[in-house]
Amino acid sequence: MEIASVEKLKGLQITPLEDEEEEEEQKAQEIAVDEDDDNDYDEDEEDEEEPVILGFVEKPDHSWSLLRQQFPSKAGGVPAWLDPDNLPSGRSCVCDLCGEPLQFLLQVYAPLVEKESSFHRTVFVFMCLSMNCLLRDQHEQWKRHHEKSSRSVKVYRCQLPRVNAFYSSEPPKGNKSDKPLAPGAPLCNWCGTWKGDKFCSNCKSARYCSQKHQAMHWGAGHKPQCQQLSLSSQLPDSNTCNGGTAAIKVASKSLWPEYEIKNEHESESETEMSEDDAQTNNSLVSKSGMDDSMKSLLDSFEGDCDRKSWASFQERIAKAPEQILRYCRSTKAKPLWPMSSGRPSKADLPKCHYCGSPLCFEFQILPQLLYYFGVKNDMNSLDWASIVVYTCEASCEGVGYKEEFAWVQLSSASPNLP
């Protein structure tokens, strides 16, 4: 990543948030979940739309370009933790429904340059690989008391001032000479995602985030390596949090493939598409493949309202069909919903449970990402219509990672689950 690209990313940020009227917020909290309330929140307005930034995935040009000191936006692989020491721990790392460790989905580097405390700012998204858990998650997200809900999709926000203990106050040079100021906490040798606060009792070298991953690593080949590792156990731990010189080495083969997320204004993308229609054969993803995916979603919708919403959604997405993310942090911004059903009302969105501020829309993740991850279109495969991320409007300060809120809209009605 060149210096110019970092500056460009900061330049893409939305202007400071506007405060909502207190009376409207109180009213929204008192309204019950019903069709009128949903329509009040999602009804299209005549005022000018907020500018949207689109995210596209590309294979990184260099192995070092997605290390944390480059402040990347990325999908798949392992997270490039912004704060490498104060990582989420305990129940924050696992699916609340099945107890399995969550897998890294993507992260978005989104600094708020108007605040010194958020000079660096990244939002991370993790999810369970089980579609059954995602279906059950649907029931949980409707709970008004969200502190009691159990989720299979979790979002964490981290921010740092320009002067901090982990990175230089100068912009990165955009080459492999960039180094962080500190190595960070050791990570799990199996997933490379969560803090490795447990270790192999024999070699005392391999580290794990959970007994589950320790058992999986043992069965996948750690057993014959254990003696060799025990002989070199006095060596420094090499699997630190993106220690600076190389990507983390992980044993798991089930992580999603790693991509860099490149940003582009939606208006620019529309212009380029009209000029470059003749070059669509060079696309990373075939148009026919994308169309088949979209048609399968359409077939699962029920009712005229859903079909009208889908037509509007498809018309907008078709202008840049390879987009996997739509970013627009603003109190006025709204997601581009694929369906009219399954949308949250204002009352369905919790307040920030750290500072009490309202949450605002920040970005949504589109199902096109699953294509790049190689997820098959099977009956029990992971799937969604949209994952919408809401974050604290004030982007409140604090050490480490603050949990934010995700609303998942599925492409089909979820079954009745206990």
Side-chain angles (χ1 to χ4, degrees):
M1 177 185 297
E2 299 178 355
I3 297 177
S5 65
V6 176
E7 296 303 320
K8 178 182 177 183
L9 180 58
K10 291 185 178 180
L12 291 177
Q13 302 312 305
I14 306 303
T15 54
L17 300 170
E18 297 180 8
D19 295 332
E20 294 187 43
E21 294 182 4
E22 182 68 19
E23 180 179 349
E24 291 181 357
E25 181 62 28
Q26 291 177 351
K27 181 179 179 181
Q29 293 295 333
E30 295 172 355
I31 299 177
V33 180
D34 55 31
E35 183 177 357
D36 292 337
D37 189 28
D38 288 338
N39 291 339
D40 178 68
Y41 179 58
D42 296 305
E43 183 179 7
D44 291 335
E45 298 178 358
E46 296 298 327
D47 49 12
E48 186 177 353
E49 290 186 357
E50 295 289 316
V52 176
I53 300 166
L54 305 182
F56 302 86
V57 292
E58 296 180 5
K59 282 296 184 181
D61 293 331
H62 307 283
S63 59
W64 47 261
S65 62
L66 297 183
L67 298 179
R68 60 184 174 90
Q69 61 267 28
Q70 303 295 344
F71 308 108
S73 291
K74 65 187 295 287
V78 299
W81 292 111
L82 184 60
D83 180 338
D85 276 343
N86 303 291
L87 305 184
S89 60
R91 298 295 300 174
S92 299
C93 308
V94 302
C95 173
D96 294 328
L97 299 166
C98 70
E100 293 289 327
L102 296 172
Q103 183 148 309
F104 172 66
L105 184 66
L106 60 73
Q107 65 186 73
V108 176
Y109 181 67
L112 302 179
V113 294
E114 67 272 13
K115 291 183 61 176
E116 169 58 25
S117 62
S118 57
F119 183 85
H120 296 298
R121 179 176 176 274
T122 303
V123 180
F124 300 80
V125 183
F126 302 85
M127 69 186 306
C128 180
L129 295 177
S130 168
M131 187 61 196
N132 184 56
C133 287
L134 191 59
L135 290 169
R136 295 173 61 191
D137 183 279
Q138 292 292 286
H139 295 267
E140 296 292 326
Q141 70 184 5
W142 287 101
K143 290 183 177 179
R144 289 296 175 85
H145 300 287
H146 291 282
E147 66 277 4
K148 298 180 181 178
S149 63
S150 298
R151 302 302 306 273
S152 70
V153 180
K154 296 184 181 182
V155 180
Y156 296 101
R157 168 178 55 87
C158 180
Q159 56 196 46
L160 297 171
R162 180 168 187 168
V163 179
N164 60 80
F166 308 116
Y167 309 100
S168 169
S169 59
E170 297 300 318
K173 300 180 181 64
N175 57 48
K176 62 182 179 181
S177 69
D178 292 314
K179 301 290 190 298
L181 300 180
L187 300 175
C188 177
N189 282 77
W190 178 256
C191 69
T193 298
W194 306 108
K195 182 180 291 188
D197 52 6
K198 301 173 178 62
F199 57 86
C200 175
S201 59
N202 187 30
C203 67
K204 296 181 173 56
S205 177
R207 290 178 172 268
Y208 305 102
C209 65
S210 62
Q211 290 183 345
K212 174 76 173 182
H213 283 181
Q214 181 177 5
M216 294 177 74
H217 193 201
W218 186 267
H222 176 62
K223 183 177 180 179
Q225 299 171 352
C226 203
Q227 184 176 1
Q228 181 180 355
L229 286 172
S230 65
L231 296 176
S232 58
S233 60
Q234 299 303 314
L235 295 176
D237 196 325
S238 60
N239 212 35
T240 53
C241 189
N242 283 24
T245 59
I248 295 173
K249 297 178 181 179
V250 297
S252 174
K253 304 300 182 184
S254 63
L255 299 183
W256 285 310
E258 187 174 54
Y259 293 95
E260 183 174 4
I261 298 177
K262 297 293 186 70
N263 301 307
E264 188 175 291
H265 279 288
E266 187 174 34
S267 56
E268 296 176 359
S269 180
E270 292 174 1
T271 302
E272 290 179 4
M273 182 180 179
S274 63
E275 295 175 351
D276 300 334
D277 282 342
Q279 301 180 14
T280 54
N281 288 336
N282 294 328
S283 169
L284 288 174
V285 52
S286 67
K287 186 176 185 300
S288 61
M290 293 299 293
D291 287 346
D292 290 343
S293 176
M294 295 304 180
K295 287 177 182 177
S296 67
L297 281 174
L298 180 58
D299 291 340
S300 68
F301 295 157
E302 299 178 359
D304 292 338
C305 290
D306 276 346
R307 292 183 178 275
K308 288 179 181 178
S309 293
W310 175 250
S312 177
F313 174 82
Q314 175 66 350
E315 180 181 11
R316 187 80 170 265
I317 295 298
K319 297 175 182 178
E322 295 176 6
Q323 62 185 281
I324 59 95
L325 183 138
R326 299 177 62 83
Y327 184 97
C328 184
R329 188 179 192 273
S330 168
T331 56
K332 292 183 177 181
K334 297 178 180 179
L336 183 62
W337 294 106
M339 299 181 296
S340 62
S341 57
R343 306 182 189 183
S345 68
K346 286 183 178 180
D348 292 317
L349 300 178
K351 296 278 186 86
C352 174
H353 59 270
Y354 300 100
C355 72
S357 295
L359 301 186
C360 69
F361 168 66
E362 182 144 353
F363 61 85
Q364 69 184 106
I365 306 168
L366 304 179
Q368 285 91 320
L369 181 59
L370 293 169
Y371 176 91
Y372 293 97
F373 282 171
V375 176
K376 297 181 180 180
N377 190 23
D378 297 333
M379 180 177 298
N380 296 320
S381 295
L382 199 61
D383 191 19
W384 64 78
S386 188
I387 298 177
V388 182
V389 172
Y390 297 89
T391 58
C392 174
E393 181 181 308
S395 198
C396 58
E397 302 175 20
V399 177
Y401 294 79
K402 294 186 177 295
E403 186 169 1
E404 298 289 8
F405 185 73
W407 187 274
V408 182
Q409 188 180 54
L410 297 184
S411 59
S412 59
S414 59
N416 294 324
L417 294 171

